[in-house]
Structures are given as C-alpha cells and as structure tokens.
Amino acid sequence: MNSIIAIVLAYLIGSISFAVVVSRLFGLSDPRTYGSKNPGATNVLRTGNKAAAALTLLGDGFKGWLAVWLALTYQFQFDLSDSTVAMVGLAVFIGHLWPVFFKFVGGKGVATALGVLIGINVWLGLGTFATWLIIAYAFRYSSLAALVASLFAPFYYALLFGARIELLAVVIMSALLIYRHSQNIANLMAGKESRLGSKKKDAA
Ligand code: G3P
C-alpha cells in the first residue's frame, strides 16, 4: 500500500506544470499556445523572459528531485523497496509528460529528468547536466542537448552503480524523453529547429 501511495504522490507532484504556473504568475501567454507549444523552460524562454524560463527550469527540476529525495529519505520508515524508489522517479517524470491537472498535455521532461537524476545521485545529475551544457553551448539547440544527454545518462548510471533496478528507470526515462522529442528530431534533420535564444514572434 505504501508503495502505491508513494508512486501516486510522485505522479501528482510531477503533474504540476511549472511552465504553465510560472507563465500565469508572470502574466505571459500559455506556453502551450506558441513556439513549440511545449510547456517547458525552453519554450518559455522564447517569450524573452529569462526569469520566467529559469523559474520553470528550477520548478520542473525541483519536483523531480523532491519526489526521489522523499522516497529515499523515507524508504526504510515506510518500507519502500528499491523498485518502488525507481518507480517513484519514473512516476514523477510521467506526471510531467502526462499531467492529470492539465488534461494530460505535458512537457518533454528534460528538467524533471535532470531533477530525478540529481535525486538519485548528484554526480549522475551533474554529469548529465554537463553533457547538456556542452552540447547546448556548442550547437545552440536545447533539444539536441537534451537528446544527447539522455543517451549518456544510462551509461553514467551504469558506470557509477552497475546494473541496478534504477538503471531500468533511467533507460525508460531516456526512451520516453527521446520519444517526446520526435518533432524536434524531425526539425533538426530538416534544419528547421529553432536555436536557443531565438524568440518566436507569437510568444509574449
Ligand atoms: O525542454 C525541451 C527541449 O529539449 C525542447 O523544447 O520547446 O524546443 O521543443 P522545445
């Protein structure tokens, strides 16, 4: 029973879309209506409001970290297995992708996945974030950086911990993240993907 409660709670935490909440607080348009229509930090940045984008990134990352941190901190008190902790990480991520509070229209999961990885292990999170930064700096594509980082994350996990149950959660998370970037992949291949820092005319 505790496991089900933990997983459902994680899903609910993940369902809070900070892109939508922060945009409302800042009086910006709903991010699901402009740019890539993705409720995520990259799309909020297209309004030109860096503070709102940073807050979205922090909020979406924080919720991923929080769910895993809570599960790990109370793992023994509530008799949660390692598989449950892995499922909690996956559940908060899935909540972000298909949020119950926003008609199941969620984001692509980059910030939340990063939060989950930091929650599992800070070096795992930092290594993945460093990968994102290097690719983003070199190519100026947020999506490409996320795709490359998500490919590396399972390898970083395996290097640090070997083949544990959490590795499966990290692999599934990466696979879902790549799936959610299908349109970005098509745009990248067609040379139509917008670069970091470029604003959308219809974003405000
Ligand atoms: O944060 C998601 C990012 O990787 C791509 O976002 O808005 O360019 O589709 P976007």
Side-chain angles (χ1 to χ4, degrees), residues 31 34-44 46 57 96 107-111 132 141-147 177 180-181 183-184 187 193-196:
Y34 62 80
S36 66
K37 302 201 166 34
N38 182 53
T42 304
N43 205 27
V44 173
R46 293 191 177 104
L57 182 71
H96 180 82
K108 298 180 182 177
V110 180
W132 187 95
Y141 290 121
S142 174
S143 56
L144 182 67
L147 288 163
L177 188 145
R180 292 291 277 201
H181 280 76
Q183 187 57 51
N184 302 87
N187 289 346
E193 182 71 336
S194 67
R195 289 187 191 264
L196 267 170

